[in-house]
Amino acid sequence: MTHFHLKNGELHAEDVPLTRIAREVGTPVYVYSRAAFEANARSLQEGLAQVPNAQLAYAIKANPNLAVVNVLAKLGYGADVVSAGEMHRALAAGMPRETILFSGVGKRIDELEAALDAGIGQFNLEIEEEGAVLSELALARGVRAPAVLRVNPDVDAGTHAKISTGKAENKFGVAISEAPAIYARLAALPGLAMRGIASHIGSQIADLQPLEISYRRLGELVAELRAAGHTVTHVDLGGGFGVAYRPGEVYPTPAEIGAMVARATAGWDVKLMFEPGRFIAGNAGVLLTEVIWVKPGVGNPWVIVDAAMNDLTRPALYDAYHGFSAVRPSGERVTAHIAGPVCESGDTFAKGREIDAVVRGDLAVFHTAGAYGATMASTYNSRALVPEVLVDGDRYAVVADRIAAGTIMAAERVPEWL
Ligand code: LLP
């Protein structure tokens, strides 16, 4: 089900015509559907209801907008955070501190301190030394930090190399073969309350099999840790569930995910934690843009839009595909290239793709832009920082302002000695 659909020949987000948002807020602009976030979040809760004792922590990095995090907080989601900045967002959105878990391969001391002071629910340790430092910081505060050890199960998630995290050569976690010895040393530290293990093998995973293999390896580790006398009460299985970007793509459903998890983790008797990001946010947003020119090209014309790689970086970074549709499609189709105004050939959204025919001044959207879209935007080429809008039925709100290039320049200084 999509919450972006044609009504009277015009693309709407829920009940709001996108032409209205373009007119009132300008373009480019991200447009989100509250109902889509909620439907995705609830469907995952329902799919995982077949698993005893599951806890869902939304991966803030996918879409950290405060309004979006509020929507998920209201549904009972906790948060997976990777920086103090993300933790403050989760807290500001009303997520209870004990539902916040802190992942990340490079947590700084000040971030560990801030998280201890906030009293978050769990630290996912990526390095033995990190555990030793955290133990000291916790002792100095008279507390024990609840922690799990992130292990690298050496499984190929079958996804893009830049978003694969669970192979031995990746920087994340400790080698699963070394985990028992490291765990034993961490469990002996007085400032830590070690309670289990964590893993995350990658993002945009299309096939449940690598996930199941990694979960089974974690199950063997749980048994080994228990045999060595450790109490294991929590296993964090990470995120990574993929979503369809191209027409006709089929991805595992929440029911299939739940069935696989139930099968792979049967008898573990732990609290299972999940860190979904893209699954919840991916199809809940589009990037609304205006066609600036249609320029003749060799072979195909170039559709030059006012959104660029600084607003939606995924195509330039991962050769990612985002669907493109006209807001008022005429029914005519053309084969074209689509690019933005930034001065790099990499600022290209599609090459030789069949799309709705558009002309100068038309509005169009890039689909499936709710996750890893606005949050990865920059101001490259001194462009404004792209704004965000949240739609709810027939109303909408600007939930992040456009930050003008002039505002960014105003934060810069020319030293007096220049
Ligand atoms: N947990 C951990 C430890 C992670 O590193 C990530 C994503 C997640 C959870 C959430 O994964 P998800 O459920 O969203 O797949 N910028 C890239 C994606 C990077 C993902 C990084 N880690 C993209 O645009 O495709």
Side-chain angles (χ1 to χ4, degrees):
M1 184 178 53
T2 171
H3 295 82
F4 299 90
H5 48 87
L6 285 171
K7 208 178 336 182
N8 308 324
E10 188 172 330
L11 203 56
H12 285 58
E14 302 188 24
D15 299 325
V16 178
L18 293 181
T19 46
R20 185 179 145 208
I21 293 173
R23 191 170 59 242
E24 294 173 1
V25 185
T27 56
V29 57
Y30 278 91
V31 181
Y32 306 135
S33 155
R34 175 183 182 172
F37 286 112
E38 290 177 341
N40 296 337
R42 287 208 178 96
S43 75
L44 204 52
Q45 284 170 326
E46 284 158 19
L48 289 169
Q50 40 187 319
V51 178
N53 223 349
Q55 183 182 319
L56 285 153
Y58 170 60
I60 300 279
K61 64 171 82 72
N63 187 326
N65 183 282
L66 210 46
V68 170
V69 183
N70 260 274
V71 167
L72 295 160
K74 286 188 191 352
L75 294 179
Y77 271 71
D80 164 48
V81 305
V82 293
S83 67
E86 287 191 350
M87 178 187 78
H88 290 307
R89 282 175 182 273
L91 291 169
M95 282 170 170
R97 57 188 174 79
E98 64 276 8
T99 66
I100 298 175
L101 52 101
F102 198 168
S103 303
V105 72
K107 306 180 200 75
R108 296 177 353 173
I109 303 288
D110 59 304
E111 292 182 307
L112 292 172
E113 289 176 332
L116 280 170
D117 292 339
I120 66 159
Q122 178 174 296
F123 292 83
N124 290 15
L125 304 174
E126 298 245 7
I127 310 147
E128 182 173 356
E129 200 179 354
E130 181 188 10
V133 169
L134 180 63
S135 174
E136 291 295 319
L137 295 172
L139 280 182
R141 286 163 173 74
V143 296
R144 294 181 77 200
V148 298
L149 178 63
R150 178 167 178 180
V151 300
N152 183 327
D154 194 18
V155 174
D156 185 350
T159 187
H160 191 284
K162 287 186 183 166
I163 53 174
S164 176
T165 53
K167 288 202 280 186
E169 67 260 32
N170 296 135
K171 67 179 175 181
F172 300 97
V174 304
I176 197 159
S177 55
E178 291 170 28
I182 294 175
Y183 195 97
R185 291 193 290 273
L186 291 173
L189 294 175
L192 296 186
M194 289 303 293
R195 60 187 203 175
I197 55 176
S199 178
H200 171 80
I201 63 168
S203 193
Q204 184 52 8
I205 299 174
D207 180 1
L208 290 179
Q209 208 199 351
L211 280 172
E212 183 161 1
I213 293 170
S214 92
Y215 294 175
R216 290 195 187 277
R217 290 193 185 160
L218 298 181
E220 288 162 15
L221 178 59
V222 169
E224 190 176 341
L225 292 174
R226 284 182 172 152
H230 301 295
T231 304
V232 177
T233 55
H234 292 70
V235 178
D236 181 344
L237 296 174
F241 308 125
V243 301
Y245 282 84
R246 293 169 191 264
E249 273 180 347
V250 179
Y251 272 77
T253 63
E256 289 164 348
I257 293 169
M260 181 279 281
V261 173
R263 187 168 67 232
T265 66
W268 286 13
D269 190 22
V270 293
K271 176 166 267 195
L272 285 178
M273 304 158 98
F274 298 88
E275 305 168 353
R278 188 188 319 263
F279 187 90
I280 290 166
N283 73 7
V286 297
L287 174 58
L288 178 59
T289 187
E290 184 180 316
V291 176
I292 308 182
W293 313 109
V294 180
K295 181 177 185 272
V298 178
N300 298 313
W302 287 94
V303 173
I304 310 288
V305 294
D306 70 354
M309 64 187 284
N310 70 300
D311 305 305
L312 176 62
T313 191
R314 302 190 68 258
L317 209 50
Y318 318 114
D319 292 319
Y321 179 104
H322 285 267
F324 179 86
S325 339
V327 167
R328 283 179 165 152
S330 64
E332 201 188 322
R333 305 276 291 171
V334 290
T335 300
H337 309 311
I338 311 168
V342 159
C343 299
E344 291 202 31
S345 292
D347 184 22
T348 299
F349 292 105
K351 291 294 285 290
R353 193 189 293 175
E354 191 195 307
I355 56 169
D356 291 335
V358 285
V359 297
R360 179 180 174 200
D362 279 355
L363 294 171
V365 296
F366 290 103
H367 291 277
T368 330
Y372 306 110
T375 186
M376 291 174 71
S378 75
T379 59
Y380 185 41
N381 275 205
S382 290
R383 290 165 53 84
L385 197 61
V386 62
E388 298 164 87
V389 157
L390 182 67
V391 170
D392 178 29
D394 60 2
R395 62 184 170 175
Y396 79 86
V398 176
V399 293
D401 290 340
R402 188 183 311 280
I403 301 182
T407 306
I408 290 157
M409 190 169 71
E412 296 171 18
R413 302 278 175 275
V414 179
E416 63 194 19
W417 41 258
L418 200 67

